[in-house]
């Protein structure tokens, strides 16, 4: 079943129509977005929760020409699965997104989290499902991407300022993606964090392969970290493991050389030391300097919970993905 949407059509209405008319759960739903700005209603919550495989893509195949934009946040709809521009629910089996932009336009106003700092562009709230994104751009500030289950991002752009990639995932793989830390609109002196992993017990978690981590310059004393801990992971916990892997990635010199942070020991990290398969770990990391030169990263500089993988570790990890 294929639907073509112009910028005047409502994606929410299409989702509702599909739910009412679709036949077999195996029937694929294919949505083609025309070029231009696709806006939802004010504070609208787009929600898809059917077992039918779903494909949403732009007709032009260029993310810069096709965008789904709206404002949502914790202040408007409470809890993670409700505050994104678009949410995929627990009944989903397979979701594919290609070549368009999803942007949550919410701008932070203060430090009070109840006023809505958390504002996902996308929430994949499906522990048993699979998400595949190619040629996509995801734009927000705090918590841009939230994923559960299995997800794969290829040739995508992701930007935000605090924990802008996070979730209770099994495995989330980012290949050839650009991950960009933007300036916090409340002030450049605030620390920034790309990731907060709450991965499932013993699973690979968030894996970045041949990705580039860039950032806006926040000034001399700014701190920008690849990852920070949520602080509650334990050996027997179902999730909340701090599992992030960097493989052959390039990182701007604007990021802190420690890469990871337990915020001066105020947040417990688990596993306490990374290994080939879990925890904070990296292999083949390169640092990109302001003059354009590139140098090898010195693994001895990473925070004490981090681990430098061997070539064999890399091979073992890649063999476990999906």
């Amino acid at each position: 079943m294929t639907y073509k949407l112009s910028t005047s059509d409502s994606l929410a209405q299409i989702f509702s129509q599909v739910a009412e008319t679709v036949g077999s759960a195996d029937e694929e739903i294919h949505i083609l977005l025309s070029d231009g700005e696709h806006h939802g209603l004010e504070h609208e919550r787009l929600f898809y929760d059917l077992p039918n495989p779903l494909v949403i893509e732009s007709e032009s195949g260029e993310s810069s020409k096709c965008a789904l934009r709206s404002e949502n946040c914790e202040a408007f709809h409470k809890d993670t699965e409700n505050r994104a521009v678009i949410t995929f629910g627990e009944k989903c089996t397979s979701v594919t997104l290609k070549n368009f932009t999803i942007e949550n336009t919410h701008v932070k106003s203060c430090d009070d989290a109840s006023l809505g700092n958390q504002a996902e562009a996308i929430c994949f709230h499906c522990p048993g499902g699979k998400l595949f994104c190619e040629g996509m751009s995801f734009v927000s500030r705090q918590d841009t991407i939230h994923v559960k289950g299995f997800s794969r991002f290829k040739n995508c752009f992701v930007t935000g300022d605090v924990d802008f990639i996070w979730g209770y995932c099994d495995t989330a793989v980012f290949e050839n993606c650009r991950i960009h830390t933007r300036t916090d609109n409340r002030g450049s002196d605030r620390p920034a964090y790309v990731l907060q992993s709450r991965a499932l017990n013993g699973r690979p978690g968030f894996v970045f392969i041949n990705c580039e981590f860039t950032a806006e310059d926040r000034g001399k004393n700014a701190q920008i970290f690849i990852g920070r801990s949520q602080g509650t992971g334990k050996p027997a916990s179902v999730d909340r493991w701090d599992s992030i892997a960097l493989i052959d990635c390039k990182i701007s010199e604007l990021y802190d050389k420690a890469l990871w942070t337990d915020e001066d020991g105020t947040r417990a990290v688990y596993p306490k030391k990374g290994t080939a398969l879990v925890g904070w770990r990296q292999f083949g990391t390169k640092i990109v300097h302001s003059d354009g030169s590139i140098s090898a990263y010195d693994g001895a500089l990473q925070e004490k919970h981090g681990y430098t993988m061997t070539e064999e570790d890399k091979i073992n990890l890649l063999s476990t993905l999906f």
Side-chain angles (χ1 to χ4, degrees):
M1 186 179 299
T2 299
Y3 299 85
K4 292 186 178 182
L5 269 70
S6 70
T7 54
S8 61
D9 294 325
S10 166
L11 185 56
Q13 290 181 357
I14 293 298
F15 283 169
S16 178
Q17 181 179 341
V18 168
E20 293 174 358
T21 62
V22 72
S24 168
D26 295 328
E27 184 177 4
E28 181 180 276
I29 307 303
H30 189 192
I31 298 175
L32 286 172
L33 302 176
S34 65
D35 283 351
E37 299 276 337
H38 295 260
H39 291 279
L41 299 175
E42 185 177 12
H43 308 161
E44 183 178 39
R45 172 177 174 263
L46 293 174
F47 189 74
Y48 181 87
D49 194 25
L50 295 174
N52 299 76
L54 173 68
V55 178
I56 306 178
E57 61 182 322
S58 66
E59 286 190 286
S60 67
E62 297 183 45
S63 64
S64 62
K65 294 182 178 181
C66 178
L68 174 61
R69 290 190 172 96
S70 66
E71 182 186 20
N72 195 4
C73 68
E74 180 72 14
F76 305 142
H77 299 106
K78 299 296 182 184
D79 298 325
T80 307
E81 65 271 25
N82 299 317
R83 64 193 184 213
V85 171
I86 187 167
T87 296
F88 301 97
E90 295 183 355
K91 296 178 184 177
C92 292
T93 56
S94 173
V95 174
T96 299
L97 308 176
K98 289 186 175 183
N99 303 317
F100 64 100
T101 294
I102 302 177
E103 179 176 1
N104 193 326
T105 60
H106 180 71
V107 176
K108 297 179 181 182
S109 58
C110 68
D111 289 326
D112 187 348
S114 67
L115 296 180
N117 289 343
Q118 296 159 298
E120 282 81 357
I122 180 176
C123 174
F124 190 68
H125 199 64
C126 183
K130 292 184 178 180
L131 170 68
F132 176 68
C133 301
E134 183 173 13
M136 294 290 296
S137 291
F138 300 96
V139 180
S140 186
R141 293 189 177 274
Q142 185 162 331
D143 298 359
T144 305
I145 288 178
H146 173 268
V147 286
K148 292 185 176 181
F150 298 85
S151 56
R152 189 170 187 172
F153 298 81
K154 186 175 182 179
N155 301 325
C156 292
F157 172 76
V158 186
T159 189
D161 56 20
V162 174
D163 303 337
F164 60 94
I165 299 175
W166 76 290
Y168 305 82
C169 72
D170 182 304
T171 308
V173 177
F174 292 76
E175 300 174 84
N176 302 315
C177 294
R178 182 183 170 210
I179 314 300
H180 184 68
T181 300
R182 64 194 302 194
T183 300
D184 193 312
N185 67 272
R186 299 167 300 174
S188 61
D189 58 335
R190 298 165 187 267
Y193 317 93
V194 176
L195 287 132
Q196 187 182 109
S197 170
R198 302 184 184 185
L200 299 188
N201 186 319
R203 299 303 298 152
F206 295 88
V207 181
F208 295 81
I209 304 170
N210 295 321
C211 290
E212 183 176 7
F213 290 79
T214 59
E216 295 178 10
D217 192 342
R218 293 179 170 218
K220 183 178 179 180
N221 297 318
Q223 288 184 301
I224 308 175
F225 295 95
I226 297 295
R228 68 166 172 170
S229 176
Q230 193 271 337
T232 58
K234 297 179 181 178
S237 58
V238 173
D239 48 36
R240 299 176 188 267
W241 279 36
D242 297 296
S243 292
I244 303 168
L246 307 177
I247 298 177
D248 298 322
C249 292
K250 295 179 180 178
I251 300 176
S252 166
E253 67 174 3
L254 295 174
Y255 285 80
D256 195 285
K257 292 181 175 60
L259 300 183
W260 331 101
T261 179
D262 62 5
E263 298 186 72
D264 296 323
T266 61
R267 294 184 177 221
V269 176
Y270 196 83
K272 294 181 179 180
K273 188 72 173 179
T275 67
L277 301 180
V278 294
W280 289 340
R281 65 262 198 224
Q282 59 84 27
F283 174 88
T285 302
K286 299 289 192 299
I287 302 300
V288 180
H289 301 279
S290 57
D291 62 2
S293 63
I294 298 175
S295 63
Y297 174 67
D298 181 358
L301 298 175
Q302 66 184 315
E303 196 267 352
K304 62 184 179 181
H305 299 286
Y307 171 70
T308 298
M309 301 165 64
T310 65
E311 184 77 36
E312 183 179 1
D313 288 337
K314 169 185 171 180
I315 294 171
N316 289 339
L317 173 61
L318 295 179
S319 70
T320 69
L321 302 182
F322 305 108

